[in-house]
């Protein structure tokens, strides 16, 4: 009987420990799941890297390492602007996935106009799409108007000229409604 009592006593004493062990195991699993979730979130975030060479050589990196406690950012640009707002060197910005340019990016094509040979000549226009043809038989003009006049001057309806962004007028603008004053 003593043996049975000791077994029951051991089983009763071990039950809270087993329950605590089970709770500990679940907490570890929950912590691992939370850590994995945090790592996924940090993978989409950016953080500032402070350079030993000084502020002007700091940059942003991703993914955020585990245990990082400083501010993180949603994009590389937001990181550079937030972490290095007064950086004179532009070092951080030069490493961006889509780095901004120092001057506005030109719209349209290059300042080189040439005949579009993909259309019927009566509806022909001059284009400036990049890349500019390297074929020596293609004449390049500085302006769209010059190209239209020299390449499509035969168009009776002036189609090429009419397709310009600012087409020339057929006649000079009248000055009849203008008021003139003595100097």
């Amino acid at each position: 009987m003593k043996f049975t009592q000791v077994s029951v006593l051991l089983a009763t004493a071990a039950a809270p420990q087993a329950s605590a062990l089970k709770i500990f195991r679940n907490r570890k699993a929950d912590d691992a799941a939370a850590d994995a979730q945090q790592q996924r979130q940090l993978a989409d975030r950016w953080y500032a890297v402070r350079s030993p060479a000084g502020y002007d050589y700091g940059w942003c990196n991703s993914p955020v390492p585990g245990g990082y406690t400083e501010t993180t950012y949603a994009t590389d640009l937001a990181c550079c602007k937030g972490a290095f707002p007064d950086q004179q060197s532009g070092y951080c910005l030069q490493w961006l996935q889509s780095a901004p340019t120092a001057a506005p990016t030109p719209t349209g094509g290059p300042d080189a106009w040439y005949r579009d040979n993909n259309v019927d000549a009566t509806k022909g226009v001059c284009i400036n799409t990049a890349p500019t043809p390297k074929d020596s038989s293609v004449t390049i003009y500085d302006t769209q108007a010059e190209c239209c006049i020299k390449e499509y001057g035969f168009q009776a309806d002036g189609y090429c000229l009419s397709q310009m962004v600012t087409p020339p007028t057929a006649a000079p603008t009248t000055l009849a409604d203008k008021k003139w004053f003595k100097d």
Side-chain angles (χ1 to χ4, degrees):
M1 197 179 256
K2 284 187 179 183
F3 180 73
T4 308
Q5 287 177 345
V6 170
S7 297
V8 171
L9 183 59
L10 284 176
T12 307
Q17 291 175 348
S19 178
L21 184 60
K22 183 177 178 184
I23 291 170
F24 180 72
R25 283 190 193 148
N26 285 344
R27 189 172 303 143
K28 283 181 75 176
D30 290 345
D31 288 348
D35 288 347
Q37 175 66 22
Q38 183 182 17
Q39 289 296 66
R40 282 192 295 277
Q41 289 172 344
L42 291 177
D44 296 335
R45 304 288 295 174
W46 292 82
Y47 68 100
V49 177
R50 314 268 182 227
S51 172
Y55 181 82
D56 274 348
Y57 297 98
W59 73 94
C60 291
N61 202 2
S62 181
V64 176
Y68 188 82
T69 58
E70 293 184 37
T71 304
T72 61
Y73 303 88
T75 66
D76 52 354
L77 179 59
C79 179
C80 284
K81 289 171 73 176
F84 306 104
D86 300 320
Q87 191 177 62
Q88 295 297 311
S89 65
Y91 189 80
C92 185
L93 295 174
Q94 79 179 10
W95 296 104
L96 297 180
Q97 292 173 342
S98 298
T101 57
T105 305
T107 58
D111 291 332
W113 295 88
Y114 55 94
R115 175 187 187 113
D116 183 1
N117 290 319
N118 295 322
V119 294
D120 178 48
T122 60
K123 296 294 180 192
V125 293
C126 291
I127 57 176
N128 69 336
T129 55
T132 304
K134 301 297 181 210
D135 184 351
S136 61
S137 68
V138 176
T139 305
I140 304 295
Y141 301 96
D142 291 331
T143 66
Q144 188 178 19
E146 180 185 17
C147 178
C148 283
I149 291 166
K150 293 188 177 174
E151 293 290 333
Y152 298 108
F154 63 87
Q155 291 175 337
D157 62 356
Y159 184 79
C160 182
L161 292 170
S162 72
Q163 299 304 303
M164 291 175 54
V165 174
T166 53
T169 57
T173 307
T174 63
L175 298 176
D177 62 341
K178 303 293 182 208
K179 304 272 188 219
W180 297 94
F181 298 96
K182 184 178 176 182
D183 284 338

